[in-house]
Amino acid sequence: MAKVPKPSELELQHVLPKTDWMDTPAVFRPGNFSYPGKAKNLKVLGLANPREWSPMDEDWKLPADWKNIILEGLRERLDKYRTLKVFMDICVRCGACADKCHYYLGSGDPKNMPVLRAELLRSVYRKEFTLAGKIMGKMVGARDLTEDVIKEWFMYFFQCTECRRCSLFCPYGIDTAEFTIIGRELLNLIGCNIDWIAGPAANCYQTGNHLGIQPHAFKDMIDFFVDEIEAVNGIRVEPTFNRKGAEFLFVTPSGDVFADPGTYTLMGYLMLFHEIGLDYTWSTYASEGGNFGFFTSHEMMKRLNSKMYAEAKRLGVKSIIGGECGHMWRVINQYMDTVNGPADFMEVPKSPITGTRFDNAASTKMIHIVEFTADLIKNGKLKLDASRNDNLVMTYHDSCNTARGMGFFDEPRYVLNNVCNNFYEMPPNTIREQTFCCGSGSGLNNDEFMEMRMRGGLPRANAVRHVHEKFGVNALSCICAIDRAALPTLMNYWVPDVTVYGLHELVGNALVMEGETERTTDLRGEPLPGMEDNENEDI
Amino acid sequence: MAIEHHLKKHREEISQKWFDLLACTYPQQTVRLFKKESDPFANPVGQTFKAAIGEILDEFLGENRAEALAPLLDKVIRVRAVQSFSPSEALGFIFGLKKLVEEILEEELAEGEMEMGDLREFEGKVEAMGLLAFDVYTRCRESLFEIKITEMKSNTRRLLERAQLIIGE
Amino acid sequence: MGIKFSLAAVVGLILAAFIGVSGGGLSHFFGVTMPYLAILLFLGGVVYRVLKWGRAPVPFRIPTTGGQEKSLPWIKHAKFDNPSTKGQTVVRMALEVFLFRSLFRNTKFELEKGHRLFYQWEKWLWLAGLVFHYCFLVILLRHLRFFTEPVPGFVQGIERLDGLLQVGLPGIYITDGLFMLAVTYLIIRRLIIPQVRYISLPQDYFPLFLLFAIGTTGILTRYFFKVDLIKVKTMVMGLISFHPVVPAGIGAIFFVHFFLVCTLFAYFPFSKLMHAGGIFMSPTRNLPNDNRIRRHVNPWNYPVKVHSYAEYEDHFREKMVEVGLPVDKELEPAPKATADS
Ligand code: HEM
Ligand code: SF4
Ligand code: SF4
C-alpha cells in the first residue's frame, strides 16, 4: 500500500482536494454513515427495493430504472410543494446560511454548508428541468444524475438533522430541511434509507411504538413505574389504559417508557396527573408520540400520525395532551391537523383544574403538557418545593423542532423557574430560535453514527461547557425525547459532569403531593439535597 | 536551558503559527471561518483550538508536566478524534511544532545564540508530547466506544431491568 | 472559470453594443428593438415565473418561527417573529423586504471588540445588501424623469435629496457612489471569502459584473461624456409612445449603458434575481404560525394505508385480555392462535 507519509505531508495538507464540489465524490467509511434499512422493515412499510446492501459497496443494487424513478419523483414533488419549487429558483448563494449549520461548524466539511446541501439537489434540477441547465450544463451549476450523485445525496441528506437553523438566517427563508425531507423521500423511492429510521417506523406502524413493545408489555412497563413512584413517596398512582370516555388522551414518545432518563420524565407525568386528579387515559395503540415516519416521507409521517386522532375518536376523549418531544410536536403543530384532521369530534382543550381554555389549540385540539403545566402553576394549583432540586444548577436546551417549528420558548422556562432555584441560560446565539441541534435529530441518533453525532453536537456541547465552567451548571434540561436519549451521550463525551433531565422529571421532584411520605430521594433514587446522610437508613 | 528562554520570547509567533498549522488541516473553504470568527459560539472548533494551543504552549514551555498537559491536549484532540482524521492526521500537528520552531529560531541559531544540541533536545521533548498525545487520542476513542455502549444500555435499560425482574421471580 | 466566463460575457456585451452602434450603424437595433424585446421578456418572464410558482400548492403551513409563539395570554407573544394572524405576517414580510430582517440576524454587535469589526462580515452583507437595494431603487426612480413629461414632483424631490452634495457640475448623486461601493463590496466578498467563493456559480458573478458595468457606464454617460440628455429623453418618450425614433448624435457610450440595462431586464426573470418575487412566495415566511388555531387545507391530501385499531386488536387481543386491557371485541370462546410473539 501507500508509503509511510512524511510528517511534513501530514501537517500541511488540506483534507479535501481543492476540487470543485461537484468533482468531490462522497467517500463512505465506518463512522460516517448510518446502516441501511433492513429488507424486513422495508417490507412491513411497503417501501421500495428491499434488499441487503451497504453504502460501502460499489454496487448499491438500485432498481434498473432508478434514474427515471428519481426524476419522476422530483417532477411530482415540484408540482406538489411550493417550498421546493420556489427554493429551487431563488437562492442567491449569499452564504448567510453557510456557517449556521452545526454539522458544518463541527466538521468543516463544505458540503455541510446548508446552501451546498441544497445545491446537491438543485444541480440535478437545473440539468433536468431548466433550459439553461440543459444547454449550458456545468457552466450554470447543472449536472447529470448519476449513481455518484445518489451516493452523495445519501451521505448528506442523512447528515442533516432537519433542524432549520439555516432557514432562520436566510433572507428568503430557504429551508434546507425541506430539501433534506424531500431528498430523503426521493431516496426512499429507490430503497436508499437507514435502518435507524426504517426499523422504528416499521415497529411503530405494526405495534404502535418505535421499539415494537406489545400492548401487555407496555402496560407492564407503566405499572412498573407506579411501583417506583410508590417507593419514592408512598403514593400509588393509578393510570388507566385504552379507557373509553376519559376526558383526555395522553400521548408521549415511547422513549419515555423505555429509555433513561426519559423514564423519570414519565414518572413526573404520572405524578402530576394523579395529583390534580386528571381524568385521562393512556393508549397502547397510539403509544408512540414520536414519528420516525417524518424522517422517511410526508406520506409515512401521515400514516404513523393517523393513530392519534383515530384513537382519540375511538375512545371518545374530549382532547389530547402531548408529552415532551421535539419532532412529535413539529408534526403536531405544522402537519397533523392538515394531514389527518379535522378533529371536529373533539372539543377545544380546556383545563378542568383551572378552567383555562387553550384557544391556541382550537383546531388541533391537542395541547402540550408543558403549556398545561405552566397554566396550572400560574393559577397556583400546584404545590411545589423547588428546593428539592437545589443540588442542580440548571441550564435549558431548546429543541430545534419546538424552537423553529413552533416557537415554544417561554412556557418551559416558566415551568423550569418554578421547579428549580438555579437556572442559567446559555449564550444568546445558542438558545431559543438560534438554538443548536443536539446533533442527533431526524433519526440519526444511532450508535454507528456516533462520530458524526459528536461533531454535530459540538456547538451545543460547547455552549453547555461554557455555562458549566462559568456558573457551575451540572444539569441540562430539555423537552424532547431524542434529546433525552442523545444529550447524555453528548455530555458524556464533551462535558461529562453534566446530567440530562426532562422538564417533568423536575416537576415530579418538586411536586408536593397530597398525603405523601417524606421523600429522601429524587425520582432517580438519589438523595435529595440535605438528605445525603439518610440514604442508607431508608432502604 | 537557553532555548526555552528564546522560545518564550517568540511565544506569540509560535502560538499563532502552530494554530495556523492546525487550522490548515481543514478544507480551505473553512480555514477562514475557523481562524477569523471570534465568537466562540459561532466558531466552536476554531476558538477551542485557539485557546487550547496557547495553554498547551505555556505548559509545554513552562513546567511541562504530563498530568497538566494531558487535559490541555485533550481539548484539541477530543475534537479531532471525531472529525474523520486518521490517528496520524489527527496528531500530525504536534510534530509540526518541530519544523515550525526551527524556522522561527533560524536567525538565532545562525548567530550562534544557541546550539544545535539545544534544538535536538527540544525536539525530543516534542516527541514526548507526541507520545502523550497518542495516549490522549486513544482515550478519546475509547470513550467514544464506551458512550456507545452506555447509550445502548440506557435506551433499553428499563426493558432489561423489567425482564430480569420477571425472570427473577 | 465561472468568474472569467461571467466577466467575458459582460465585456462581450459591452463590445457588441459599442461596435454595433459606432461602427455598424445598429443604433436602431440597440435603441429600439432591444428595449422592446427586453421589456417583453421581463414582463412575460416574471409573469410566467410567478404563475409557475403559484401553480404549485402550499400543502403545509411551515413558517420558520423566530420567536415566542402565541400561547397563554400571560406569555409575551413575539408578534412579528412568530406571527399568528395575517396582519402580523404582513408586518413580518415588510420587515423582511424593507429591512432584510433575517439577514440582520447574522449581525453580531461585538462592540467591545471594535477593532475586529472587519471580520464580522455578516453585518457587512446585510448593510451592503441594504445599501445596494435602496440605491438601486432610488436610481430606478430617478430614471423616471426620462419617462415622464412633466416629471412628477416626487421624482424631482428624490433627485434634490440625492444630489444634496452639490459637488461639481452636473451635481453628484449620493446613491451613485454608494451603489458602486456596495456592488464592489459584493463582488469582492464573493471573491475573497472562501466559503462563498466555493458555492458561487457563474450566474452569481454575472449579475454583479453586469451591475458594475451598468453603474460605470451610467456614470461615464453622465459625468464624463456628457451625453445629450434631451435627445435621450426624446428617444425614450418615443419608445413609450410607440413611435420610436433614434435621434442622431447620442454617444455610443449611452447605447452601451442602455443595452446593458436591457440585458439585465431580459435576464432578470430567468435567473436568481427572481428572488425579488420569490421572497413574497416563500412559505416559511409568508404564512402565520397558526396551524393549531386554524386548520390548513392541503389540496392534494390523499388517503393512506394505515394500521387500524381493529387490525391491531386482532393481532394482540389475547395478550390484551390477559393483562386486563379493555378490548372492543371479546375473545372468542375457543381462541384461535391469533397473537404471535
Ligand atoms: C425583497 C427582498 C429582497 C431581499 C431580502 C434581497 C436580498 C438580496 C441579497 C441577499 C442579494 C445578494 C447579494 C450577493 O451576495 O450577491 C441580492 C442581490 C440582488 N438583488 Fe435583491 N433582495 C430583495 C429584493 C430585490 C428586488 C426587489 C430587486 C429588484 C430589482 C433585487 C435585485 C437584486 C439584484 C440586481 C442583486 C444583485 C445581483 C447579485 O447579487 O447576484 N432584489 N438581493
Ligand atoms: S442564506 Fe438563503 S439565499 Fe443565502 S445562500 Fe443560504 S439558502 Fe441561499
Ligand atoms: S436543517 Fe439544520 S442540519 Fe440541515 S442544513 Fe440546515 S442547519 Fe444544517
Side-chain angles (χ1 to χ4, degrees), chain A residues 223-243:
Chain A
D223 287 343
F224 176 63
F225 297 121
V226 171
D227 296 342
E228 298 256 298
I229 293 170
E230 193 173 11
V232 170
N233 69 352
I235 300 272
R236 192 146 184 97
V237 302
E238 286 162 347
T240 59
F241 299 87
N242 302 355
R243 177 164 61 88

PDB file of all heavy atoms in Angstrom, chain A residues 223-243:
ATOM      1  N   ASP A 223     -46.890   0.103  34.762  1.00  0.00           N
ATOM      2  CA  ASP A 223     -47.161  -0.376  36.120  1.00  0.00           C
ATOM      3  C   ASP A 223     -45.888  -0.412  36.952  1.00  0.00           C
ATOM      4  O   ASP A 223     -45.894  -0.151  38.153  1.00  0.00           O
ATOM      5  CB  ASP A 223     -47.781  -1.788  36.067  1.00  0.00           C
ATOM      6  CG  ASP A 223     -49.228  -1.734  35.578  1.00  0.00           C
ATOM      7  OD1 ASP A 223     -49.803  -0.632  35.600  1.00  0.00           O
ATOM      8  OD2 ASP A 223     -49.759  -2.791  35.162  1.00  0.00           O
ATOM      9  N   PHE A 224     -44.808  -0.735  36.296  1.00  0.00           N
ATOM     10  CA  PHE A 224     -43.515  -0.780  36.956  1.00  0.00           C
ATOM     11  C   PHE A 224     -43.161   0.608  37.522  1.00  0.00           C
ATOM     12  O   PHE A 224     -42.687   0.732  38.651  1.00  0.00           O
ATOM     13  CB  PHE A 224     -42.507  -1.245  35.903  1.00  0.00           C
ATOM     14  CG  PHE A 224     -41.089  -1.279  36.358  1.00  0.00           C
ATOM     15  CD1 PHE A 224     -40.684  -2.118  37.392  1.00  0.00           C
ATOM     16  CD2 PHE A 224     -40.135  -0.504  35.712  1.00  0.00           C
ATOM     17  CE1 PHE A 224     -39.358  -2.164  37.777  1.00  0.00           C
ATOM     18  CE2 PHE A 224     -38.812  -0.548  36.104  1.00  0.00           C
ATOM     19  CZ  PHE A 224     -38.409  -1.373  37.138  1.00  0.00           C
ATOM     20  N   PHE A 225     -43.453   1.644  36.743  1.00  0.00           N
ATOM     21  CA  PHE A 225     -43.161   2.995  37.234  1.00  0.00           C
ATOM     22  C   PHE A 225     -44.077   3.376  38.390  1.00  0.00           C
ATOM     23  O   PHE A 225     -43.712   4.187  39.236  1.00  0.00           O
ATOM     24  CB  PHE A 225     -43.259   4.020  36.105  1.00  0.00           C
ATOM     25  CG  PHE A 225     -42.253   3.775  35.034  1.00  0.00           C
ATOM     26  CD1 PHE A 225     -42.630   3.538  33.728  1.00  0.00           C
ATOM     27  CD2 PHE A 225     -40.903   3.726  35.353  1.00  0.00           C
ATOM     28  CE1 PHE A 225     -41.690   3.275  32.757  1.00  0.00           C
ATOM     29  CE2 PHE A 225     -39.952   3.467  34.383  1.00  0.00           C
ATOM     30  CZ  PHE A 225     -40.344   3.240  33.079  1.00  0.00           C
ATOM     31  N   VAL A 226     -45.263   2.803  38.393  1.00  0.00           N
ATOM     32  CA  VAL A 226     -46.163   3.053  39.508  1.00  0.00           C
ATOM     33  C   VAL A 226     -45.503   2.573  40.801  1.00  0.00           C
ATOM     34  O   VAL A 226     -45.497   3.278  41.814  1.00  0.00           O
ATOM     35  CB  VAL A 226     -47.514   2.347  39.266  1.00  0.00           C
ATOM     36  CG1 VAL A 226     -48.381   2.409  40.519  1.00  0.00           C
ATOM     37  CG2 VAL A 226     -48.235   2.956  38.072  1.00  0.00           C
ATOM     38  N   ASP A 227     -44.880   1.406  40.727  1.00  0.00           N
ATOM     39  CA  ASP A 227     -44.161   0.895  41.898  1.00  0.00           C
ATOM     40  C   ASP A 227     -43.007   1.812  42.271  1.00  0.00           C
ATOM     41  O   ASP A 227     -42.753   2.090  43.432  1.00  0.00           O
ATOM     42  CB  ASP A 227     -43.600  -0.506  41.613  1.00  0.00           C
ATOM     43  CG  ASP A 227     -44.708  -1.522  41.373  1.00  0.00           C
ATOM     44  OD1 ASP A 227     -45.857  -1.237  41.754  1.00  0.00           O
ATOM     45  OD2 ASP A 227     -44.425  -2.583  40.771  1.00  0.00           O
ATOM     46  N   GLU A 228     -42.282   2.240  41.260  1.00  0.00           N
ATOM     47  CA  GLU A 228     -41.120   3.095  41.511  1.00  0.00           C
ATOM     48  C   GLU A 228     -41.533   4.374  42.227  1.00  0.00           C
ATOM     49  O   GLU A 228     -40.854   4.828  43.141  1.00  0.00           O
ATOM     50  CB  GLU A 228     -40.442   3.467  40.196  1.00  0.00           C
ATOM     51  CG  GLU A 228     -39.894   2.287  39.436  1.00  0.00           C
ATOM     52  CD  GLU A 228     -38.383   2.175  39.538  1.00  0.00           C
ATOM     53  OE1 GLU A 228     -37.705   3.112  39.081  1.00  0.00           O
ATOM     54  OE2 GLU A 228     -37.912   1.166  40.078  1.00  0.00           O
ATOM     55  N   ILE A 229     -42.644   4.939  41.788  1.00  0.00           N
ATOM     56  CA  ILE A 229     -43.104   6.178  42.417  1.00  0.00           C
ATOM     57  C   ILE A 229     -43.484   5.901  43.861  1.00  0.00           C
ATOM     58  O   ILE A 229     -43.130   6.646  44.776  1.00  0.00           O
ATOM     59  CB  ILE A 229     -44.299   6.763  41.638  1.00  0.00           C
ATOM     60  CG1 ILE A 229     -43.853   7.226  40.247  1.00  0.00           C
ATOM     61  CG2 ILE A 229     -44.923   7.930  42.409  1.00  0.00           C
ATOM     62  CD1 ILE A 229     -44.986   7.592  39.324  1.00  0.00           C
ATOM     63  N   GLU A 230     -44.154   4.804  44.070  1.00  0.00           N
ATOM     64  CA  GLU A 230     -44.562   4.460  45.424  1.00  0.00           C
ATOM     65  C   GLU A 230     -43.343   4.343  46.334  1.00  0.00           C
ATOM     66  O   GLU A 230     -43.366   4.757  47.502  1.00  0.00           O
ATOM     67  CB  GLU A 230     -45.359   3.145  45.419  1.00  0.00           C
ATOM     68  CG  GLU A 230     -46.075   2.907  46.734  1.00  0.00           C
ATOM     69  CD  GLU A 230     -46.998   1.697  46.668  1.00  0.00           C
ATOM     70  OE1 GLU A 230     -46.923   0.944  45.691  1.00  0.00           O
ATOM     71  OE2 GLU A 230     -47.796   1.528  47.612  1.00  0.00           O
ATOM     72  N   ALA A 231     -42.273   3.797  45.762  1.00  0.00           N
ATOM     73  CA  ALA A 231     -41.059   3.665  46.559  1.00  0.00           C
ATOM     74  C   ALA A 231     -40.488   5.026  46.937  1.00  0.00           C
ATOM     75  O   ALA A 231     -39.844   5.187  47.964  1.00  0.00           O
ATOM     76  CB  ALA A 231     -40.026   2.843  45.797  1.00  0.00           C
ATOM     77  N   VAL A 232     -40.729   6.021  46.110  1.00  0.00           N
ATOM     78  CA  VAL A 232     -40.170   7.346  46.384  1.00  0.00           C
ATOM     79  C   VAL A 232     -40.994   8.090  47.434  1.00  0.00           C
ATOM     80  O   VAL A 232     -40.456   8.657  48.380  1.00  0.00           O
ATOM     81  CB  VAL A 232     -40.080   8.179  45.089  1.00  0.00           C
ATOM     82  CG1 VAL A 232     -39.728   9.624  45.405  1.00  0.00           C
ATOM     83  CG2 VAL A 232     -39.057   7.580  44.153  1.00  0.00           C
ATOM     84  N   ASN A 233     -42.324   8.083  47.273  1.00  0.00           N
ATOM     85  CA  ASN A 233     -43.097   8.903  48.209  1.00  0.00           C
ATOM     86  C   ASN A 233     -44.374   8.235  48.729  1.00  0.00           C
ATOM     87  O   ASN A 233     -45.248   8.904  49.263  1.00  0.00           O
ATOM     88  CB  ASN A 233     -43.427  10.265  47.576  1.00  0.00           C
ATOM     89  CG  ASN A 233     -44.414  10.124  46.436  1.00  0.00           C
ATOM     90  OD1 ASN A 233     -44.746   9.019  46.023  1.00  0.00           O
ATOM     91  ND2 ASN A 233     -44.882  11.248  45.934  1.00  0.00           N
ATOM     92  N   GLY A 234     -44.478   6.947  48.524  1.00  0.00           N
ATOM     93  CA  GLY A 234     -45.602   6.237  49.122  1.00  0.00           C
ATOM     94  C   GLY A 234     -46.940   6.446  48.443  1.00  0.00           C
ATOM     95  O   GLY A 234     -47.956   5.930  48.890  1.00  0.00           O
ATOM     96  N   ILE A 235     -46.948   7.190  47.381  1.00  0.00           N
ATOM     97  CA  ILE A 235     -48.216   7.417  46.690  1.00  0.00           C
ATOM     98  C   ILE A 235     -48.374   6.393  45.566  1.00  0.00           C
ATOM     99  O   ILE A 235     -47.429   6.144  44.818  1.00  0.00           O
ATOM    100  CB  ILE A 235     -48.258   8.823  46.064  1.00  0.00           C
ATOM    101  CG1 ILE A 235     -48.094   9.892  47.132  1.00  0.00           C
ATOM    102  CG2 ILE A 235     -49.521   9.011  45.233  1.00  0.00           C
ATOM    103  CD1 ILE A 235     -49.363  10.346  47.771  1.00  0.00           C
ATOM    104  N   ARG A 236     -49.560   5.800  45.489  1.00  0.00           N
ATOM    105  CA  ARG A 236     -49.787   4.848  44.407  1.00  0.00           C
ATOM    106  C   ARG A 236     -50.664   5.513  43.344  1.00  0.00           C
ATOM    107  O   ARG A 236     -51.850   5.751  43.558  1.00  0.00           O
ATOM    108  CB  ARG A 236     -50.448   3.588  44.968  1.00  0.00           C
ATOM    109  CG  ARG A 236     -50.440   2.478  43.957  1.00  0.00           C
ATOM    110  CD  ARG A 236     -50.284   1.081  44.515  1.00  0.00           C
ATOM    111  NE  ARG A 236     -50.198   0.169  43.370  1.00  0.00           N
ATOM    112  CZ  ARG A 236     -49.061  -0.272  42.859  1.00  0.00           C
ATOM    113  NH1 ARG A 236     -47.917   0.070  43.401  1.00  0.00           N
ATOM    114  NH2 ARG A 236     -49.058  -1.071  41.797  1.00  0.00           N
ATOM    115  N   VAL A 237     -50.062   5.841  42.221  1.00  0.00           N
ATOM    116  CA  VAL A 237     -50.837   6.481  41.148  1.00  0.00           C
ATOM    117  C   VAL A 237     -51.546   5.389  40.368  1.00  0.00           C
ATOM    118  O   VAL A 237     -51.127   4.225  40.377  1.00  0.00           O
ATOM    119  CB  VAL A 237     -49.930   7.304  40.211  1.00  0.00           C
ATOM    120  CG1 VAL A 237     -49.171   8.357  40.999  1.00  0.00           C
ATOM    121  CG2 VAL A 237     -48.958   6.422  39.459  1.00  0.00           C
ATOM    122  N   GLU A 238     -52.666   5.766  39.727  1.00  0.00           N
ATOM    123  CA  GLU A 238     -53.443   4.727  39.060  1.00  0.00           C
ATOM    124  C   GLU A 238     -53.752   5.068  37.606  1.00  0.00           C
ATOM    125  O   GLU A 238     -54.848   5.523  37.281  1.00  0.00           O
ATOM    126  CB  GLU A 238     -54.747   4.497  39.841  1.00  0.00           C
ATOM    127  CG  GLU A 238     -54.491   3.748  41.126  1.00  0.00           C
ATOM    128  CD  GLU A 238     -55.624   3.882  42.123  1.00  0.00           C
ATOM    129  OE1 GLU A 238     -56.503   4.747  41.947  1.00  0.00           O
ATOM    130  OE2 GLU A 238     -55.611   3.112  43.096  1.00  0.00           O
ATOM    131  N   PRO A 239     -52.798   4.854  36.742  1.00  0.00           N
ATOM    132  CA  PRO A 239     -53.039   5.142  35.326  1.00  0.00           C
ATOM    133  C   PRO A 239     -54.020   4.138  34.717  1.00  0.00           C
ATOM    134  O   PRO A 239     -54.110   3.000  35.174  1.00  0.00           O
ATOM    135  CB  PRO A 239     -51.660   4.965  34.696  1.00  0.00           C
ATOM    136  CG  PRO A 239     -50.944   4.036  35.603  1.00  0.00           C
ATOM    137  CD  PRO A 239     -51.463   4.296  36.974  1.00  0.00           C
ATOM    138  N   THR A 240     -54.763   4.575  33.725  1.00  0.00           N
ATOM    139  CA  THR A 240     -55.648   3.653  33.013  1.00  0.00           C
ATOM    140  C   THR A 240     -55.236   3.579  31.555  1.00  0.00           C
ATOM    141  O   THR A 240     -54.552   4.474  31.045  1.00  0.00           O
ATOM    142  CB  THR A 240     -57.108   4.116  33.089  1.00  0.00           C
ATOM    143  OG1 THR A 240     -57.186   5.425  32.506  1.00  0.00           O
ATOM    144  CG2 THR A 240     -57.602   4.161  34.514  1.00  0.00           C
ATOM    145  N   PHE A 241     -55.675   2.517  30.897  1.00  0.00           N
ATOM    146  CA  PHE A 241     -55.243   2.265  29.523  1.00  0.00           C
ATOM    147  C   PHE A 241     -56.441   2.033  28.621  1.00  0.00           C
ATOM    148  O   PHE A 241     -57.387   1.349  29.011  1.00  0.00           O
ATOM    149  CB  PHE A 241     -54.337   1.034  29.478  1.00  0.00           C
ATOM    150  CG  PHE A 241     -53.099   1.195  30.301  1.00  0.00           C
ATOM    151  CD1 PHE A 241     -53.107   0.877  31.646  1.00  0.00           C
ATOM    152  CD2 PHE A 241     -51.943   1.707  29.733  1.00  0.00           C
ATOM    153  CE1 PHE A 241     -51.965   1.044  32.413  1.00  0.00           C
ATOM    154  CE2 PHE A 241     -50.802   1.878  30.492  1.00  0.00           C
ATOM    155  CZ  PHE A 241     -50.824   1.551  31.844  1.00  0.00           C
ATOM    156  N   ASN A 242     -56.379   2.578  27.439  1.00  0.00           N
ATOM    157  CA  ASN A 242     -57.400   2.341  26.413  1.00  0.00           C
ATOM    158  C   ASN A 242     -58.806   2.512  26.993  1.00  0.00           C
ATOM    159  O   ASN A 242     -59.719   1.767  26.663  1.00  0.00           O
ATOM    160  CB  ASN A 242     -57.279   0.932  25.833  1.00  0.00           C
ATOM    161  CG  ASN A 242     -55.903   0.679  25.240  1.00  0.00           C
ATOM    162  OD1 ASN A 242     -55.072   1.579  25.173  1.00  0.00           O
ATOM    163  ND2 ASN A 242     -55.668  -0.535  24.801  1.00  0.00           N
ATOM    164  N   ARG A 243     -58.973   3.479  27.868  1.00  0.00           N
ATOM    165  CA  ARG A 243     -60.248   3.615  28.558  1.00  0.00           C
ATOM    166  C   ARG A 243     -61.162   4.562  27.786  1.00  0.00           C
ATOM    167  O   ARG A 243     -60.820   5.725  27.554  1.00  0.00           O
ATOM    168  CB  ARG A 243     -60.027   4.157  29.973  1.00  0.00           C
ATOM    169  CG  ARG A 243     -61.319   4.406  30.762  1.00  0.00           C
ATOM    170  CD  ARG A 243     -61.036   4.549  32.234  1.00  0.00           C
ATOM    171  NE  ARG A 243     -60.167   5.673  32.518  1.00  0.00           N
ATOM    172  CZ  ARG A 243     -60.612   6.918  32.733  1.00  0.00           C
ATOM    173  NH1 ARG A 243     -61.900   7.187  32.675  1.00  0.00           N
ATOM    174  NH2 ARG A 243     -59.767   7.895  32.990  1.00  0.00           N
TER     175      ARG A 243
END
